[in-house]
Amino acid sequence: MPVYRRLGGASLAVLICASTALAEEAETKIEEIVVNGKYLSLDKLDSVKTPTPIIDIPQSLSIISADQIEKQSFTNLGDVLRYTPGLSISQGEGHRDAIIIRGIETTADFFIDGLRDDVQYFRPLYNLERVEILRGSNALLFGRGGGGGVVNRVTKSPEFDDQFAGFSSSIDTFGSYNISGDVNMAVSETAALRLNGFYEELDNHRDFFGGERFAINPTFAFKASSDTNVLLSYEYVDDDRVVDRGVPSQVVENGPNVPLKGFKKTFFGSPDGNRTTLQAHIAKARVDHTFTDSLRGNLTVQYADYDKLYQNLFANSAVSIGTGLPLQVQLDGYQDFTDRQNLIIQTNLVSEFKTGPFGHTVLFGGEFGDQDTDNARNDNVFAANGDDQITIAFTDPLDIPEFSFSNLVRDRESQVQFASVYLQDQIDVTDWLMLVGGVRYDRFDIDVLDIIEQNDGDGVNGDFSRVDEKFTPRLGAILKPAENISAYASYSETFLPRSGDQFLTLDLDTESTRPQSFKNTELGLKWDIRPDLSITAALFDLDRSSFTSVDPDDPGQIIVVEGSQTQGFEFQLNGKLADWWTIAAGYSYLDGKVQQADGGGNDGNKTRQTPENMISLWNNVSITDKFGIGFGATYQDSYFVREDNAVKVPDFIRVDAALYYELSDNLRLQVNVENLLDETYYPDAHSNTNISTGELSTHASRSLAAFKGWVQAQDSHVGGDVS
């Protein structure tokens, strides 16, 4: 849409150029970059940290723009990622974002403007320019974790030379609604303020589900000098909702078990006791400075405070039907508190120069982090038996016996300090050959105090610590037979400390074992058929190494623990097939298998929640200047919930559609219908007894009507996207 192209170009130009004249001169050039999506620019706080065209990045990646988010009526990060090849969504126990990238599950490989955002919560979309998904292990850019890849959210920045305001409101057939606003004020030629905010009332097809969340994000930017830009940002997020962990599995004779059928709406928990709350404060300061025409850099400091609670009852066993016995359900539950403070400092220098016939783009950077976490967990206790588990007769709704979250089973404090330095050189050897090589050094230092262990009198003081030091490489070669075609080969590594992605599990066992490593080998092809239409494809092999651990039954013995291997293929087609037809299509084939060096029972099983085939397709078609339609589908193959392959979730295809109508030059109406063909499906799961159900039939499926408008104060041009 015209407004987004124009404003996006202005934003980049102001950040890159030192004067108004240069900014105006650069605007047209940068506008093409934004429209065509060819650059993940350093100045846009992106994932790759260098001003490298997408076609020259030796890695599979996807970019989901704010325009696509709005037109497909995405309301959460899970919606966005379902349309990304190589990714499947995990349930996250109903209280957090959780994804599986190339067969590797993670709750922590999320970033915001290039900085780690690893607390477990649902991340909103109200203030985003785009979402960047980079696949494949790559610690050089991101540090620990990211075994299968990472997700980076890029937030909106103030525009120096414009005044505008936008709003959006929507409601669906379940009663969920949201409103959001986006206001930009140019305080002067060298300073601007942008304010984004939203409120959402939550509801869906499930009994008893509900809640609310809201957030606000003021951002102030100014030019400290002709060569220096400063950005100051604060975000507050508040989320309060029911925790819903779906339905249990159903016993199948001769297995595997399947999701329980016929109870899509039934809530297997306590309407009052299943609850999660989050309050997050995220403050950030960034300075960008141009030293010379060939050297520039940035420094970012981010401090975040997260206060998280979740508590729930949930089904803890499969349900047997057709045995002639009364139907019964086993319940379990717990309550968990997390308080975390993150301080992260990151700096990058990028230099572009030549040595003889070779061109170089050198990235040198460093990162320091200090993360303090307090975590406690209470088991629930049922009054009827004094235990945390109970089996009850099935009723709809469930008749929950009296219980309380009163048995303290975990009380830990952890402090993590990490320091990293990294160096990468992108070498233009010839017009048709580029080489990329680099290495990162990470020191990861964790101290954990287990307060329960400290006070139990068994002689173990509860203090555990570990230091991991790792060098991780990145290598790539890019062949360019034409300016618009590239073929690449790459190899990259990353690691995950034994304390896990939330670093709360350090004990006598994990204290003595090495980090887990991930190695990704990839071949890919990128072809810009036209400036506004591109194809990408990739073949990859991702190895999660087997590793040793202390035998918990015999601390003097070392046992081999399983790793995994995922091999696969990914394909994407994005852009305009015609002036009136825009398409976003993706396909992935994933063959994920568990490897157990000691011949354990899971050897050769499928990795958790890794569908072999996934297809996504979305089309936007302009019928007239004012009227358009959107239609598409997602297909997800069957998958096993866990590595034991005891429960198999069936495949599904879900068809979605949308109608767009411009009521005026500055107001647009959009209606989205989800699950148009009334498919029964189970989109994701957490465990063998916690499986999500898809939204119901078309008369009650997610149908959204929304209004969105943009108003610019400095000229008569009015426009914008509407969801």
Side-chain angles (χ1 to χ4, degrees), residues 573-589:
L573 171 65
N574 288 284
K576 287 189 174 182
L577 294 177
D579 290 340
W580 48 271
W581 182 6
T582 301
I583 189 171
Y587 167 75
S588 64
Y589 170 79

Side-chain angles (χ1 to χ4, degrees), residues 280-299:
H281 303 265
I282 305 170
K284 177 176 58 185
R286 175 176 168 119
V287 179
D288 288 87
H289 183 72
T290 301
F291 297 95
T292 67
D293 291 341
S294 61
L295 179 65
R296 57 181 176 174
N298 58 65
L299 172 67

Side-chain angles (χ1 to χ4, degrees), residues 387-436:
D387 197 357
D388 64 336
Q389 297 182 358
I390 196 169
T391 300
I392 62 173
F394 174 77
T395 56
D396 193 2
L398 295 182
D399 184 12
I400 304 293
E402 183 181 348
F403 71 96
S404 62
F405 297 110
S406 56
N407 182 24
L408 182 66
V409 294
R410 186 167 73 201
D411 190 3
R412 295 175 181 165
E413 300 173 0
S414 70
Q415 181 178 40
V416 169
Q417 287 190 339
F418 61 89
S420 311
V421 291
Y422 44 92
L423 177 67
Q424 176 183 277
D425 191 4
Q426 177 182 302
I427 306 171
D428 298 321
V429 180
T430 68
D431 291 339
W432 54 270
L433 176 62
M434 299 172 59
L435 300 176
V436 176

Side-chain angles (χ1 to χ4, degrees), residues 156-197:
K156 298 174 181 177
S157 297
E159 317 283 357
F160 288 144
D161 61 351
D162 229 327
Q163 309 271 13
F164 60 86
F167 70 92
S168 175
S169 63
S170 67
I171 187 169
D172 70 19
T173 53
F174 299 114
S176 178
Y177 66 89
N178 70 69
I179 55 174
S180 63
D182 180 3
V183 178
N184 188 87
M185 295 175 285
V187 179
S188 68
E189 293 182 355
T190 59
L193 174 67
R194 191 160 188 171
L195 178 64
N196 284 273

Side-chain angles (χ1 to χ4, degrees), residues 24-35:
E24 292 174 355
E25 180 180 340
E27 181 172 344
T28 302
K29 183 184 297 183
I30 299 301
E31 182 175 346
E32 292 182 3
I33 292 171
V34 174
V35 173

Side-chain angles (χ1 to χ4, degrees), residues 200-222:
E200 182 175 18
E201 190 79 18
L202 300 168
D203 205 345
N204 65 15
H205 67 291
R206 300 277 292 160
D207 290 340
F208 304 114
F209 180 78
E212 62 177 5
R213 63 173 178 165
F214 63 91
I216 188 168
N217 178 204
T219 305
F220 181 67
F222 65 94

